[in-house]
Amino acid sequence: MSKKDTVNKILKIPVYILSPIIILLIILVYPIINIRFSLQPSERIGEIATQMEIYLSERKFFKNKKFLDIFILTDVISNETYLNLLKQKIFFIPNFITYPIYKIIKLLSYKFSFLKRFILYTKYQDKDFTIFRTQPNLIPDENFIKKGDNFLKDLGIPKDAKIICLIVRDQEYLKKKFPDRNYDYHNHRNCNIQNFKEAIKIATDNGYYVFRMGEVVESKLKINDNKYIDYSSHYRTDFLDIYLAYKCTFVVTTSTGWDNVPAFTFRKPVVFTNCAPIGDLLTYSPDFLFCFKLYFDTKKNRILNLEEISKTSLSYGFNANHYKESNIELLENKPEEIKELVLEMINRLNNNIKYSESDEKIQIKFWEKYVSFFNLNNIENHKNTNLNPFICASQRLYKGKIISRIGNSFLNKYKDLFI
């Protein structure tokens, strides 16, 4: 145990002793104001960024002022810069003061249900589309923006440059960040960075600067192009991670966690490649564009269609071992497919794309089938699928339809599997 952990534990002792009195006071003031405690997963930027933006957006949208919400951070902080922005909007009290109170209330709430009203569980699913229907809540100030713009200037990049943040998931980050934990069950989400070379080239050919993101990466990607910046290897900081999320034109990702900062905190368009599992597409924005990994059945020696996948236990499979045990190999998107998806987003942002009537029909048909096969409003139908409702349950309808899109080229290429 580190010295910091020891000090933290010692500081909590008097709070544990005083907790009964504090909890009684909280109960007494309840008719006037409901004080709630919320423990936030600050060790993972994706989780806290998503949950806090949903919380802030709902608070703005529904304008409920009855609550005094006190937030507690875990012992590990994934990004101090993000946290400093968040503290402008959120009421935090140090962990050693609030955690003992939170823990005792939570334990007692299992027996005394009345106490549950003093615990706030923030959401990972934006079921009311409040992020889509509100403006960003965390707005960097002039000094923040100036500091970031100076970084671009030092690299010879104009402050009004078009920027793509590219982040490709591998296992190296979790290995180095949490060496005492085994995260191999996430391996089905890993992707090969080399498959993104063609996408990077099409982006730079269109005038974009591409920043390869990631605090720790497994494989280097060498590209001889002054518009490609190996940010992860040479420049990465907490501050720049947030600045680039704020500054970028759009993001290309394989769904890693950090991408939730530009996607949700700053409402940026996102190209989601290699999504898995297929039942968990984050369909919260018209600015989200998807393609996903294909389910290859090694026994049948062919790719499964949408309906066949929906009948397996892997519609929402979050454990790599389950795919292996079921003889399913997830096929990564091909370089050409990723390139076409990125080009589609570029053309969309330039208002340089017109979908044909046939394109729209295929898109509508796909989502109709998708919703019928992966209906998360009937999540009880998937009790035996190793489903994690906290992580999953992302697919929702806005005014009766899905507002995100599957990549046009990708969907036409594999339409026989999905239509």
Side-chain angles (χ1 to χ4, degrees):
M1 184 182 297
S2 68
K3 183 178 179 181
K4 180 181 176 182
D5 291 337
T6 303
V7 171
N8 197 26
K9 285 197 171 187
I10 293 171
L11 289 173
K12 287 177 181 176
I13 293 173
V15 183
Y16 275 112
I17 295 170
L18 293 172
S19 285
I21 297 173
I22 297 170
I23 293 170
L24 179 60
L25 290 173
I26 291 169
I27 294 172
L28 289 174
V29 302
Y30 171 72
I32 302 169
I33 190 164
N34 187 180
I35 298 174
R36 300 186 298 183
F37 295 86
S38 180
L39 181 65
Q40 289 302 305
S42 52
E43 72 276 6
R44 303 290 293 273
I45 184 69
E47 291 182 24
I48 190 171
T50 302
Q51 293 181 65
M52 286 291 89
E53 194 59 28
I54 293 172
Y55 167 80
L56 290 169
S57 297
E58 286 187 344
R59 190 172 70 176
K60 181 192 293 183
F61 194 78
F62 297 115
K63 299 179 181 177
N64 193 331
K65 298 181 180 178
K66 182 183 175 183
F67 302 106
L68 172 60
D69 294 329
I70 298 171
F71 290 88
I72 311 157
L73 300 174
T74 48
D75 292 333
V76 177
I77 307 300
S78 58
N79 189 295
E80 293 286 354
T81 301
Y82 171 79
L83 184 59
N84 290 335
L85 280 178
L86 191 59
K87 283 179 177 178
Q88 298 173 17
K89 296 281 185 176
I90 298 291
F91 184 36
F92 286 102
I93 293 180
N95 176 289
F96 75 88
I97 297 175
T98 48
Y99 184 76
I101 302 168
Y102 162 83
K103 187 174 181 180
I104 291 175
I105 291 176
K106 187 176 179 182
L107 287 172
L108 290 174
S109 70
Y110 295 126
K111 187 168 185 179
F112 304 102
S113 59
F114 171 80
L115 293 174
K116 290 180 180 179
R117 66 195 64 197
F118 304 115
I119 299 290
L120 168 64
Y121 294 100
T122 48
K123 303 171 184 175
Y124 203 75
Q125 303 91 36
D126 188 19
K127 65 179 182 179
D128 294 306
F129 288 85
T130 54
I131 292 177
F132 170 54
R133 298 156 79 182
T134 59
Q135 294 299 310
N137 294 286
L138 305 185
I139 308 297
D141 61 24
E142 288 185 12
N143 290 332
F144 179 103
I145 295 170
K146 185 176 180 180
K147 180 180 176 181
D149 288 348
N150 284 338
F151 163 73
L152 294 182
K153 184 179 179 181
D154 290 342
L155 292 181
I157 300 174
K159 65 179 181 180
D160 60 348
K162 297 181 293 184
I163 291 173
I164 294 173
C165 288
L166 166 67
I167 186 160
V168 176
R169 191 189 189 283
D170 59 42
Q171 59 189 358
E172 201 65 16
Y173 172 80
L174 291 176
K175 271 187 175 180
K176 292 198 173 179
K177 202 76 171 179
F178 306 102
D180 56 334
R181 304 182 197 175
N182 185 353
Y183 283 103
D184 287 352
Y185 65 91
H186 274 307
N187 285 351
H188 65 289
R189 298 169 56 202
N190 296 337
C191 296
N192 184 356
I193 184 64
Q194 304 301 324
N195 290 338
F196 289 78
K197 282 185 176 181
E198 292 185 21
I200 293 169
K201 185 176 188 311
I202 201 71
T204 58
D205 286 349
N206 278 272
Y208 283 82
Y209 289 84
V210 179
F211 282 73
R212 198 256 174 110
M213 309 297 290
E215 183 174 344
V216 181
V217 296
E218 185 176 49
S219 302
K220 302 290 184 183
L221 181 62
K222 295 182 180 180
I223 295 179
N224 187 22
D225 188 328
N226 60 10
K227 283 188 168 65
Y228 169 72
I229 294 87
D230 190 359
Y231 164 81
S232 178
S233 298
H234 303 295
Y235 306 108
R236 191 266 151 200
T237 66
D238 274 10
F239 168 77
L240 290 174
D241 273 2
I242 306 304
Y243 168 77
L244 289 169
Y246 166 78
K247 185 72 174 179
C248 70
T249 310
F250 70 94
V251 176
V252 179
T253 180
T254 59
S255 297
T256 65
W258 171 86
D259 46 47
N260 290 346
V261 181
F264 295 127
T265 306
F266 299 125
R267 316 294 200 269
K268 298 294 182 176
V270 183
V271 169
F272 289 97
T273 75
N274 291 283
C275 296
I278 191 173
D280 191 40
L281 301 183
L282 300 172
T283 56
Y284 292 131
S285 169
D287 294 323
F288 290 173
L289 198 58
F290 296 97
C291 62
F292 40 82
K293 290 186 176 181
L294 302 175
Y295 286 57
F296 183 82
D297 189 317
T298 56
K299 278 194 171 181
K300 295 179 180 179
N301 196 33
R302 63 176 177 84
I303 298 170
L304 299 182
N305 63 38
L306 205 65
E307 183 174 9
E308 288 172 319
I309 295 170
S310 73
K311 293 177 179 177
T312 74
S313 63
L314 299 173
S315 301
Y316 311 101
F318 285 94
N319 191 317
N321 294 326
H322 297 154
Y323 290 93
K324 187 175 181 180
E325 291 163 3
S326 301
N327 302 301
I328 298 296
E329 180 184 350
L330 290 176
L331 304 182
E332 291 188 39
N333 300 143
K334 297 175 181 177
E336 177 73 16
E337 294 164 1
I338 300 170
K339 182 191 78 170
E340 290 295 328
L341 197 65
V342 170
L343 183 59
E344 183 175 348
M345 178 62 82
I346 290 171
N347 287 333
R348 281 168 62 91
L349 296 177
N350 290 337
N351 294 315
N352 192 30
I353 191 168
K354 187 174 182 180
Y355 296 111
S356 69
E357 184 178 345
S358 174
D359 292 334
E360 294 297 345
K361 283 183 178 179
I362 293 173
Q363 193 79 211
I364 292 169
K365 190 68 175 176
F366 172 84
W367 287 118
E368 285 177 350
K369 295 234 176 173
Y370 184 89
V371 170
S372 68
F373 292 144
F374 309 108
N375 186 352
L376 298 180
N377 293 321
N378 296 322
I379 209 166
E380 65 272 11
N381 294 335
H382 300 279
K383 286 180 180 176
N384 298 317
T385 62
N386 304 300
L387 179 64
N388 184 338
F390 173 77
I391 297 176
C392 197
S394 58
Q395 167 250 316
R396 300 282 177 184
L397 301 177
Y398 180 69
K399 295 184 177 180
K401 66 178 184 179
I402 298 286
I403 58 175
S404 302
R405 290 187 71 93
I406 300 296
N408 201 52
S409 175
F410 181 81
L411 190 53
N412 277 282
K413 181 177 180 179
Y414 295 108
K415 61 184 177 183
D416 291 340
L417 294 173
F418 307 131
I419 305 303

